[in-house]
Amino acid sequence: MKYISTRGGIAPIPFKETVMMGLATDGGLILPDHFPVVGTRELSRWQGLTYPELALEVISLFVDDISRNDLRALIFKAYESFDHKEITPLVLTGNYYILELFHGPTLAFKDIALQFLGNLFSYLLREKGATMNILGATSGDTGSAAIYGVRGKDNINIFILHPHNRVSPVQELQMTTVPDANVFNIAIEGTFDDCQAIVKAIFNDLAFKARYRLGSVNSINWARVLAQVVYYVYAALKLNKEVGADLVHFSVPTGNFGDIFAGYVAKRLMERHIGRLIIATNENNILSRFILEGKYSKGTVVQTISPSMDIQIASNFERYLYYLFGEDCSRVKAAMEQFNEQGEITISKEQLAQARRDFATASIDQQTTLETIKEIYKQTDYIVDPHTAVGCAAAEKLRSSLKNGAVVCLATAHPAKFPEAVKQAVGHFPPRPESLKGLDKKNSRCKVLPANVDAVKKYVAENALK
Ligand SMILES: *Cc1c(COP(=O)(O)O)cnc(C)c1O
């Protein structure tokens, strides 16, 4: 299996190189040069596998430059840290199945990919006798998942910027109480946008980037998408086996389009078993507007109670455009250039019809999100977090258009990560899982710095792995 860029500007590369490259060097996103076909016999064999075993099969389809034994070790180790033996259990609440993706160390679905990616980075660096320094900005969930993905690894240091006093107390403590010496939290006296701008400026200083071997963990890394394909396959096979569902629809709370794009890949692998993919958005609904109106156009970011989806430009969307444009790199490149200049991409009638065959969508406002948390709790005693609630509400709204088949709503975070919104909806805080108990009594470490590129560079230079 070789990999290409959506913009056509790189020679085909093997998997290992995609991991280290992150964003393609021509500014595009990396994709496999074809989708493998998974036959019926293969699928029925997969039905008996545990989650890590299935992950090995699915990931192996796309990785042919790491030995099976080594890949197995990387995958199995990644899911040891999960607190549920099924890794991503399915629970039935009311009309829907909820796929709980929050059993990893930081209680959000990002652990599923970042536990794997951390091991993969460390493995590839060891092979080369190299080290790296990861630099990233977070508004909450990604930073803690990335930190937990690489904590304690001797060939990686990680620097995560968050806006000082502007992430939730749980999220801040999850990051700053990690005691490992390779973890550096930086609280920036500014906003999340300031943090992102600083990280971008540092990555654009190519000499600095090369000198400190800076790496990134953001959601455009193909290995992250790949790890997420697994739970779609897992849920579809499980529902087929246990309740005889031939077709499974997924509702996905969406921000950067990484998670739902993994669903698209799963659908390409097992076309007949996966039905509609629902793009569920909050008020930041650029993707919903795209499916409804055929126009991808930037709006302004609105802050909501589902903050991990408060995104206007979905960084993984370009991956889907590649398929929508018939795998024509020059059309993708032209469209992205147009978007950067004019803030808008329009598509043809035929393309819009295709996009609507691939995805359904609903945009859910905050009032409806709160009512959904309350309603699900009232009817089933189950508490969903606000991101998950957006997905559940979207599934409810589109129920009549999903004819046959089971509906799975992805639960992307544990409700205890967003206690205030839950309390507002159901009248009390959600129960705290074991990993959050006593968090506020642990030692917390964090460097507060002004929103200034040079100050951050100086700190990174002083603490980077040489
Ligand atoms: C990151 C995140 C999302 C959005 O996922 P994308 O891959 O960016 O679409 C949804 N919910 C939670 C809880 C998240 O942390």
Side-chain angles (χ1 to χ4, degrees), residues 140-411:
D141 289 340
T142 308
S144 55
I147 287 171
Y148 274 79
V150 303
R151 61 181 291 188
K153 303 221 185 287
D154 58 10
N155 46 12
I156 302 175
N157 276 4
I158 183 165
F159 298 84
I160 295 291
L161 280 61
H162 69 263
H164 191 35
N165 293 332
R166 289 182 201 228
V167 296
S168 83
V170 172
Q171 289 174 325
E172 181 178 330
L173 285 171
Q174 276 185 323
M175 294 191 280
T176 59
T177 57
V178 175
D180 302 77
N182 69 331
V183 173
F184 298 86
N185 280 287
I186 303 172
I188 294 292
E189 293 170 325
T191 62
F192 172 59
D193 287 339
D194 293 327
C195 298
Q196 260 190 321
I198 292 169
V199 167
K200 206 168 165 190
I202 297 179
F203 272 106
N204 280 336
D205 180 344
L206 297 182
F208 189 89
K209 183 181 170 201
R211 174 156 183 209
Y212 294 103
R213 296 168 317 286
L214 296 185
S216 138
V217 284
N218 55 25
S219 74
I220 47 97
N221 197 303
W222 165 253
R224 277 184 68 173
V225 174
L226 179 55
Q228 291 170 201
V229 175
V230 178
Y231 49 74
Y232 288 92
V233 178
Y234 182 76
L237 290 177
K238 189 164 171 160
L239 285 173
N240 181 262
K241 185 176 172 187
E242 293 185 359
V243 301
D246 286 330
L247 195 63
V248 179
H249 312 284
F250 288 92
S251 184
V252 187
T254 298
N256 260 326
F257 206 77
D259 198 0
I260 195 154
F261 185 76
Y264 178 80
V265 175
K267 187 172 159 140
R268 297 289 297 256
L269 294 182
M270 47 190 301
E271 197 82 46
R272 289 189 302 115
H273 301 273
I274 295 181
R276 307 307 298 279
L277 296 167
I278 300 172
I279 300 172
T281 62
N282 63 24
E283 280 101 330
N284 298 287
N285 59 2
I286 178 171
L287 291 164
S288 297
R289 286 185 285 116
F290 173 75
I291 299 294
L292 297 174
E293 298 160 17
K295 200 192 283 178
Y296 187 67
S297 71
K298 235 184 276 191
T300 42
V301 180
V302 183
Q303 280 200 9
T304 73
I305 53 170
S306 46
S308 299
M309 295 153 64
D310 292 347
I311 289 165
Q312 276 294 334
I313 300 173
S315 51
N316 276 285
F317 185 62
E318 184 173 339
R319 287 197 157 106
Y320 174 63
L321 282 183
Y322 174 78
Y323 296 104
L324 188 61
F325 291 167
E327 308 190 14
D328 181 342
C329 299
S330 56
R331 281 162 83 188
V332 177
K333 190 164 175 233
M336 293 314 295
E337 276 163 10
Q338 186 196 335
F339 184 70
N340 287 338
E341 279 157 26
Q342 297 160 21
E344 193 173 299
I345 298 172
T346 24
I347 56 171
S348 70
K349 257 201 186 128
E350 293 72 36
Q351 287 161 344
L352 181 57
Q354 181 61 47
R356 287 179 179 167
R357 281 193 292 276
D358 292 330
F359 300 102
T361 191
S363 167
I364 305 298
D365 64 26
Q366 297 187 76
Q367 194 52 41
T368 311
T369 306
L370 289 170
E371 280 159 15
T372 302
I373 298 174
K374 184 175 171 183
E375 198 53 33
I376 293 175
Y377 181 61
K378 206 169 92 188
Q379 294 191 1
T380 65
D381 251 0
Y382 186 88
I383 300 182
V384 294
D385 103 288
H387 303 79
T388 307
V390 168
C392 296
E396 185 62 41
K397 204 165 154 186
L398 296 170
R399 182 146 62 137
S400 59
S401 71
L402 306 171
K403 293 177 204 83
N404 317 315
V407 181
V408 172
C409 298
L410 302 195

Side-chain angles (χ1 to χ4, degrees), residues 114-147:
L114 283 165
Q115 285 289 311
F116 173 62
L117 185 65
N119 291 344
L120 195 55
F121 273 145
S122 185
Y123 169 84
L124 297 178
L125 289 167
R126 191 161 312 124
E127 227 177 31
K128 291 198 280 191
T131 60
M132 85 192 276
N133 295 287
I134 290 173
L135 176 67
T138 188
S139 58
D141 289 340
T142 308
S144 55
I147 287 171

